[in-house]
mmCIF file of all heavy atoms in Angstrom:
data_model
loop_
_atom_site.group_PDB
_atom_site.id
_atom_site.type_symbol
_atom_site.label_atom_id
_atom_site.label_comp_id
_atom_site.label_asym_id
_atom_site.label_seq_id
_atom_site.Cartn_x
_atom_site.Cartn_y
_atom_site.Cartn_z
ATOM 1 N N ASN Q 1 0.836 -1.229 -0.009
ATOM 2 C CA ASN Q 1 -0.004 0.002 -0.024
ATOM 3 C C ASN Q 1 0.845 1.244 0.006
ATOM 4 O O ASN Q 1 0.588 2.222 0.713
ATOM 5 C CB ASN Q 1 -0.931 0.040 1.206
ATOM 6 C CG ASN Q 1 -2.142 -0.880 1.042
ATOM 7 O OD1 ASN Q 1 -2.164 -1.734 0.175
ATOM 8 N ND2 ASN Q 1 -3.103 -0.757 1.937
ATOM 9 N N THR Q 2 1.879 1.268 -0.815
ATOM 10 C CA THR Q 2 2.863 2.354 -0.823
ATOM 11 C C THR Q 2 3.205 2.808 -2.236
ATOM 12 O O THR Q 2 3.382 1.968 -3.123
ATOM 13 C CB THR Q 2 4.117 1.936 -0.065
ATOM 14 O OG1 THR Q 2 3.790 1.561 1.290
ATOM 15 C CG2 THR Q 2 5.128 3.099 -0.035
ATOM 16 N N VAL Q 3 3.337 4.089 -2.410
ATOM 17 C CA VAL Q 3 3.805 4.663 -3.652
ATOM 18 C C VAL Q 3 5.108 5.403 -3.367
ATOM 19 O O VAL Q 3 5.310 5.964 -2.296
ATOM 20 C CB VAL Q 3 2.772 5.603 -4.312
ATOM 21 C CG1 VAL Q 3 2.488 6.803 -3.424
ATOM 22 C CG2 VAL Q 3 3.235 6.040 -5.683
ATOM 23 N N TYR Q 4 6.029 5.448 -4.338
ATOM 24 C CA TYR Q 4 7.349 6.011 -4.116
ATOM 25 C C TYR Q 4 7.637 7.038 -5.216
ATOM 26 O O TYR Q 4 7.077 6.993 -6.313
ATOM 27 C CB TYR Q 4 8.437 4.963 -4.181
ATOM 28 C CG TYR Q 4 8.227 3.805 -3.267
ATOM 29 C CD1 TYR Q 4 7.614 2.619 -3.690
ATOM 30 C CD2 TYR Q 4 8.662 3.863 -1.931
ATOM 31 C CE1 TYR Q 4 7.442 1.573 -2.831
ATOM 32 C CE2 TYR Q 4 8.490 2.799 -1.090
ATOM 33 C CZ TYR Q 4 7.888 1.685 -1.498
ATOM 34 O OH TYR Q 4 7.683 0.619 -0.667
ATOM 35 N N LEU Q 5 8.473 7.994 -4.877
ATOM 36 C CA LEU Q 5 9.035 8.936 -5.855
ATOM 37 C C LEU Q 5 10.538 8.986 -5.663
ATOM 38 O O LEU Q 5 11.024 9.551 -4.650
ATOM 39 C CB LEU Q 5 8.448 10.294 -5.672
ATOM 40 C CG LEU Q 5 8.893 11.324 -6.753
ATOM 41 C CD1 LEU Q 5 8.338 10.951 -8.131
ATOM 42 C CD2 LEU Q 5 8.422 12.719 -6.382
ATOM 43 N N GLN Q 6 11.263 8.393 -6.590
ATOM 44 C CA GLN Q 6 12.707 8.421 -6.548
ATOM 45 C C GLN Q 6 13.159 9.683 -7.304
ATOM 46 O O GLN Q 6 12.782 9.845 -8.496
ATOM 47 C CB GLN Q 6 13.281 7.170 -7.240
ATOM 48 C CG GLN Q 6 14.834 7.155 -7.287
ATOM 49 C CD GLN Q 6 15.481 7.051 -5.950
ATOM 50 O OE1 GLN Q 6 15.009 6.228 -5.097
ATOM 51 N NE2 GLN Q 6 16.448 7.863 -5.657
ATOM 52 N N MET Q 7 13.868 10.536 -6.650
ATOM 53 C CA MET Q 7 14.323 11.781 -7.256
ATOM 54 C C MET Q 7 15.838 11.796 -7.303
ATOM 55 O O MET Q 7 16.505 11.733 -6.283
ATOM 56 C CB MET Q 7 13.787 12.956 -6.452
ATOM 57 C CG MET Q 7 12.276 12.988 -6.317
ATOM 58 S SD MET Q 7 11.683 14.515 -5.547
ATOM 59 C CE MET Q 7 12.329 14.270 -3.876
ATOM 60 N N ASN Q 8 16.371 11.886 -8.480
ATOM 61 C CA ASN Q 8 17.823 11.927 -8.685
ATOM 62 C C ASN Q 8 18.235 13.243 -9.305
ATOM 63 O O ASN Q 8 17.408 13.962 -9.867
ATOM 64 C CB ASN Q 8 18.257 10.768 -9.611
ATOM 65 C CG ASN Q 8 17.940 9.408 -9.014
ATOM 66 O OD1 ASN Q 8 18.041 9.197 -7.814
ATOM 67 N ND2 ASN Q 8 17.611 8.472 -9.882
ATOM 68 N N SER Q 9 19.494 13.542 -9.254
ATOM 69 C CA SER Q 9 20.036 14.770 -9.840
ATOM 70 C C SER Q 9 19.214 16.006 -9.400
ATOM 71 O O SER Q 9 18.869 16.854 -10.213
ATOM 72 C CB SER Q 9 20.072 14.689 -11.353
ATOM 73 O OG SER Q 9 20.850 13.578 -11.783
ATOM 74 N N LEU Q 10 18.999 16.083 -8.142
ATOM 75 C CA LEU Q 10 18.157 17.151 -7.587
ATOM 76 C C LEU Q 10 18.788 18.522 -7.772
ATOM 77 O O LEU Q 10 19.991 18.674 -7.726
ATOM 78 C CB LEU Q 10 17.846 16.918 -6.126
ATOM 79 C CG LEU Q 10 16.844 15.790 -5.862
ATOM 80 C CD1 LEU Q 10 16.863 15.336 -4.415
ATOM 81 C CD2 LEU Q 10 15.435 16.321 -6.235
ATOM 82 N N LYS Q 11 17.936 19.484 -8.034
ATOM 83 C CA LYS Q 11 18.309 20.861 -8.259
ATOM 84 C C LYS Q 11 17.668 21.759 -7.198
ATOM 85 O O LYS Q 11 16.634 21.417 -6.655
ATOM 86 C CB LYS Q 11 17.868 21.326 -9.673
ATOM 87 C CG LYS Q 11 18.320 20.422 -10.786
ATOM 88 C CD LYS Q 11 17.667 20.849 -12.092
ATOM 89 C CE LYS Q 11 18.080 19.954 -13.231
ATOM 90 N NZ LYS Q 11 17.464 20.384 -14.532
ATOM 91 N N PRO Q 12 18.267 22.914 -6.935
ATOM 92 C CA PRO Q 12 17.660 23.825 -5.964
ATOM 93 C C PRO Q 12 16.215 24.177 -6.267
ATOM 94 O O PRO Q 12 15.386 24.338 -5.367
ATOM 95 C CB PRO Q 12 18.551 25.042 -6.047
ATOM 96 C CG PRO Q 12 19.898 24.515 -6.393
ATOM 97 C CD PRO Q 12 19.573 23.399 -7.374
ATOM 98 N N GLU Q 13 15.849 24.256 -7.557
ATOM 99 C CA GLU Q 13 14.496 24.530 -7.947
ATOM 100 C C GLU Q 13 13.521 23.426 -7.660
ATOM 101 O O GLU Q 13 12.310 23.591 -7.790
ATOM 102 C CB GLU Q 13 14.402 24.917 -9.424
ATOM 103 C CG GLU Q 13 15.084 23.949 -10.342
ATOM 104 C CD GLU Q 13 16.499 24.425 -10.724
ATOM 105 O OE1 GLU Q 13 17.276 24.796 -9.845
ATOM 106 O OE2 GLU Q 13 16.845 24.387 -11.921
ATOM 107 N N ASP Q 14 14.011 22.256 -7.202
ATOM 108 C CA ASP Q 14 13.140 21.175 -6.790
ATOM 109 C C ASP Q 14 12.712 21.366 -5.345
ATOM 110 O O ASP Q 14 11.862 20.584 -4.862
ATOM 111 C CB ASP Q 14 13.856 19.813 -6.917
ATOM 112 C CG ASP Q 14 14.128 19.467 -8.341
ATOM 113 O OD1 ASP Q 14 13.245 19.640 -9.204
ATOM 114 O OD2 ASP Q 14 15.235 18.922 -8.617
ATOM 115 N N THR Q 15 13.260 22.325 -4.664
ATOM 116 C CA THR Q 15 12.889 22.603 -3.295
ATOM 117 C C THR Q 15 11.402 22.934 -3.155
ATOM 118 O O THR Q 15 10.919 23.859 -3.843
ATOM 119 C CB THR Q 15 13.721 23.753 -2.712
ATOM 120 O OG1 THR Q 15 15.103 23.338 -2.657
ATOM 121 C CG2 THR Q 15 13.250 24.097 -1.301
ATOM 122 N N ALA Q 16 10.682 22.192 -2.346
ATOM 123 C CA ALA Q 16 9.272 22.376 -2.214
ATOM 124 C C ALA Q 16 8.731 21.420 -1.164
ATOM 125 O O ALA Q 16 9.432 20.524 -0.720
ATOM 126 C CB ALA Q 16 8.526 22.128 -3.542
ATOM 127 N N VAL Q 17 7.472 21.621 -0.782
ATOM 128 C CA VAL Q 17 6.753 20.619 -0.019
ATOM 129 C C VAL Q 17 6.119 19.667 -1.046
ATOM 130 O O VAL Q 17 5.411 20.088 -1.930
ATOM 131 C CB VAL Q 17 5.715 21.237 0.885
ATOM 132 C CG1 VAL Q 17 4.893 20.147 1.617
ATOM 133 C CG2 VAL Q 17 6.334 22.146 1.902
ATOM 134 N N TYR Q 18 6.381 18.395 -0.834
ATOM 135 C CA TYR Q 18 5.842 17.376 -1.759
ATOM 136 C C TYR Q 18 4.643 16.672 -1.119
ATOM 137 O O TYR Q 18 4.729 16.221 -0.001
ATOM 138 C CB TYR Q 18 6.927 16.351 -2.092
ATOM 139 C CG TYR Q 18 7.924 16.900 -3.108
ATOM 140 C CD1 TYR Q 18 8.835 17.888 -2.738
ATOM 141 C CD2 TYR Q 18 7.959 16.444 -4.416
ATOM 142 C CE1 TYR Q 18 9.717 18.424 -3.636
ATOM 143 C CE2 TYR Q 18 8.854 16.920 -5.344
ATOM 144 C CZ TYR Q 18 9.748 17.927 -4.952
ATOM 145 O OH TYR Q 18 10.621 18.443 -5.884
ATOM 146 N N TYR Q 19 3.572 16.578 -1.878
ATOM 147 C CA TYR Q 19 2.352 15.990 -1.416
ATOM 148 C C TYR Q 19 1.970 14.745 -2.201
ATOM 149 O O TYR Q 19 2.050 14.718 -3.401
ATOM 150 C CB TYR Q 19 1.174 17.012 -1.578
ATOM 151 C CG TYR Q 19 1.326 18.258 -0.764
ATOM 152 C CD1 TYR Q 19 1.970 19.367 -1.309
ATOM 153 C CD2 TYR Q 19 0.857 18.318 0.554
ATOM 154 C CE1 TYR Q 19 2.086 20.531 -0.575
ATOM 155 C CE2 TYR Q 19 0.985 19.469 1.304
ATOM 156 C CZ TYR Q 19 1.627 20.571 0.733
ATOM 157 O OH TYR Q 19 1.763 21.750 1.475
ATOM 158 N N CYS Q 20 1.531 13.768 -1.506
ATOM 159 C CA CYS Q 20 0.991 12.513 -2.091
ATOM 160 C C CYS Q 20 -0.495 12.713 -2.315
ATOM 161 O O CYS Q 20 -1.199 13.334 -1.518
ATOM 162 C CB CYS Q 20 1.268 11.382 -1.138
ATOM 163 S SG CYS Q 20 0.698 9.777 -1.743
ATOM 164 N N ALA Q 21 -0.962 12.192 -3.423
ATOM 165 C CA ALA Q 21 -2.389 12.300 -3.778
ATOM 166 C C ALA Q 21 -2.920 10.929 -4.281
ATOM 167 O O ALA Q 21 -2.181 10.142 -4.825
ATOM 168 C CB ALA Q 21 -2.554 13.322 -4.847
ATOM 169 N N ALA Q 22 -4.187 10.691 -4.052
ATOM 170 C CA ALA Q 22 -4.819 9.466 -4.483
ATOM 171 C C ALA Q 22 -6.205 9.781 -5.016
ATOM 172 O O ALA Q 22 -6.929 10.566 -4.484
ATOM 173 C CB ALA Q 22 -4.917 8.494 -3.337
ATOM 174 N N ASP Q 23 -6.526 9.141 -6.127
ATOM 175 C CA ASP Q 23 -7.830 9.309 -6.732
ATOM 176 C C ASP Q 23 -8.152 8.093 -7.590
ATOM 177 O O ASP Q 23 -7.270 7.504 -8.167
ATOM 178 C CB ASP Q 23 -7.916 10.583 -7.567
ATOM 179 C CG ASP Q 23 -9.312 11.105 -7.760
ATOM 180 O OD1 ASP Q 23 -10.154 10.386 -8.343
ATOM 181 O OD2 ASP Q 23 -9.570 12.234 -7.318
ATOM 182 N N ARG Q 24 -9.458 7.798 -7.722
ATOM 183 C CA ARG Q 24 -9.839 6.721 -8.592
ATOM 184 C C ARG Q 24 -9.831 7.119 -10.066
ATOM 185 O O ARG Q 24 -9.886 6.245 -10.901
ATOM 186 C CB ARG Q 24 -11.257 6.234 -8.202
ATOM 187 C CG ARG Q 24 -11.348 5.530 -6.852
ATOM 188 C CD ARG Q 24 -12.724 5.372 -6.356
ATOM 189 N NE ARG Q 24 -13.254 6.704 -5.977
ATOM 190 C CZ ARG Q 24 -14.514 6.877 -5.559
ATOM 191 N NH1 ARG Q 24 -15.347 5.854 -5.475
ATOM 192 N NH2 ARG Q 24 -14.910 8.122 -5.225
ATOM 193 N N ASP Q 25 -9.708 8.400 -10.329
ATOM 194 C CA ASP Q 25 -9.675 8.945 -11.681
ATOM 195 C C ASP Q 25 -8.413 9.727 -11.909
ATOM 196 O O ASP Q 25 -8.137 10.689 -11.189
ATOM 197 C CB ASP Q 25 -10.935 9.747 -11.930
ATOM 198 C CG ASP Q 25 -10.916 10.382 -13.305
ATOM 199 O OD1 ASP Q 25 -11.115 9.627 -14.284
ATOM 200 O OD2 ASP Q 25 -10.720 11.632 -13.401
ATOM 201 N N TYR Q 26 -7.660 9.338 -12.940
ATOM 202 C CA TYR Q 26 -6.399 10.021 -13.230
ATOM 203 C C TYR Q 26 -6.591 11.500 -13.571
ATOM 204 O O TYR Q 26 -5.864 12.368 -13.073
ATOM 205 C CB TYR Q 26 -5.642 9.381 -14.380
ATOM 206 C CG TYR Q 26 -4.548 10.232 -14.887
ATOM 207 C CD1 TYR Q 26 -3.342 10.367 -14.168
ATOM 208 C CD2 TYR Q 26 -4.703 11.004 -16.023
ATOM 209 C CE1 TYR Q 26 -2.336 11.214 -14.594
ATOM 210 C CE2 TYR Q 26 -3.706 11.830 -16.466
ATOM 211 C CZ TYR Q 26 -2.522 11.954 -15.767
ATOM 212 O OH TYR Q 26 -1.522 12.800 -16.177
ATOM 213 N N SER Q 27 -7.549 11.799 -14.429
ATOM 214 C CA SER Q 27 -7.795 13.169 -14.854
ATOM 215 C C SER Q 27 -8.073 14.081 -13.668
ATOM 216 O O SER Q 27 -7.541 15.221 -13.633
ATOM 217 C CB SER Q 27 -8.943 13.221 -15.847
ATOM 218 O OG SER Q 27 -9.141 14.571 -16.320
ATOM 219 N N ARG Q 28 -8.863 13.619 -12.763
ATOM 220 C CA ARG Q 28 -9.172 14.464 -11.614
ATOM 221 C C ARG Q 28 -7.929 14.675 -10.749
ATOM 222 O O ARG Q 28 -7.711 15.739 -10.202
ATOM 223 C CB ARG Q 28 -10.299 13.809 -10.809
ATOM 224 C CG ARG Q 28 -10.830 14.647 -9.685
ATOM 225 C CD ARG Q 28 -12.180 14.087 -9.231
ATOM 226 N NE ARG Q 28 -12.062 12.725 -8.777
ATOM 227 C CZ ARG Q 28 -13.060 11.889 -8.587
ATOM 228 N NH1 ARG Q 28 -14.326 12.308 -8.877
ATOM 229 N NH2 ARG Q 28 -12.881 10.676 -8.155
ATOM 230 N N LEU Q 29 -7.130 13.646 -10.599
ATOM 231 C CA LEU Q 29 -5.907 13.796 -9.834
ATOM 232 C C LEU Q 29 -4.967 14.796 -10.518
ATOM 233 O O LEU Q 29 -4.402 15.686 -9.855
ATOM 234 C CB LEU Q 29 -5.210 12.400 -9.706
ATOM 235 C CG LEU Q 29 -3.887 12.364 -8.899
ATOM 236 C CD1 LEU Q 29 -3.722 11.003 -8.233
ATOM 237 C CD2 LEU Q 29 -2.686 12.672 -9.787
ATOM 238 N N TYR Q 30 -4.765 14.651 -11.793
ATOM 239 C CA TYR Q 30 -3.844 15.523 -12.525
ATOM 240 C C TYR Q 30 -4.261 16.992 -12.432
ATOM 241 O O TYR Q 30 -3.397 17.874 -12.377
ATOM 242 C CB TYR Q 30 -3.833 15.125 -13.998
ATOM 243 C CG TYR Q 30 -2.995 15.997 -14.896
ATOM 244 C CD1 TYR Q 30 -1.617 15.906 -14.851
ATOM 245 C CD2 TYR Q 30 -3.584 16.932 -15.701
ATOM 246 C CE1 TYR Q 30 -0.847 16.726 -15.622
ATOM 247 C CE2 TYR Q 30 -2.817 17.756 -16.526
ATOM 248 C CZ TYR Q 30 -1.426 17.634 -16.479
ATOM 249 O OH TYR Q 30 -0.675 18.456 -17.302
ATOM 250 N N ARG Q 31 -5.542 17.260 -12.397
ATOM 251 C CA ARG Q 31 -6.064 18.586 -12.336
ATOM 252 C C ARG Q 31 -5.948 19.202 -10.920
ATOM 253 O O ARG Q 31 -6.359 20.333 -10.699
ATOM 254 C CB ARG Q 31 -7.495 18.653 -12.797
ATOM 255 C CG ARG Q 31 -7.657 18.291 -14.273
ATOM 256 C CD ARG Q 31 -9.085 18.297 -14.694
ATOM 257 N NE ARG Q 31 -9.219 17.858 -16.080
ATOM 258 C CZ ARG Q 31 -9.183 18.650 -17.119
ATOM 259 N NH1 ARG Q 31 -8.985 19.946 -16.947
ATOM 260 N NH2 ARG Q 31 -9.336 18.174 -18.342
ATOM 261 N N GLY Q 32 -5.446 18.440 -10.001
ATOM 262 C CA GLY Q 32 -5.247 18.933 -8.644
ATOM 263 C C GLY Q 32 -6.470 18.813 -7.765
ATOM 264 O O GLY Q 32 -6.565 19.442 -6.723
#
């Protein structure tokens, strides 16, 4: 029951708060 995000070659512009999201519909998830 886990999803991962492997982040390589990180840049300063990647600095942010990262949020996990779940939805039964991809389009709705993508739209935030």
Side-chain angles (χ1 to χ4, degrees):
N1 283 12
T2 302
V3 63
Y4 306 94
L5 184 68
Q6 179 68 45
M7 303 187 293
N8 299 324
S9 301
L10 284 164
K11 306 173 182 179
E13 49 262 49
D14 294 318
T15 295
V17 176
Y18 284 70
Y19 298 91
C20 181
D23 203 299
R24 290 165 291 178
D25 178 70
Y26 166 76
S27 180
R28 189 163 59 194
L29 182 150
Y30 176 77
R31 295 176 184 274

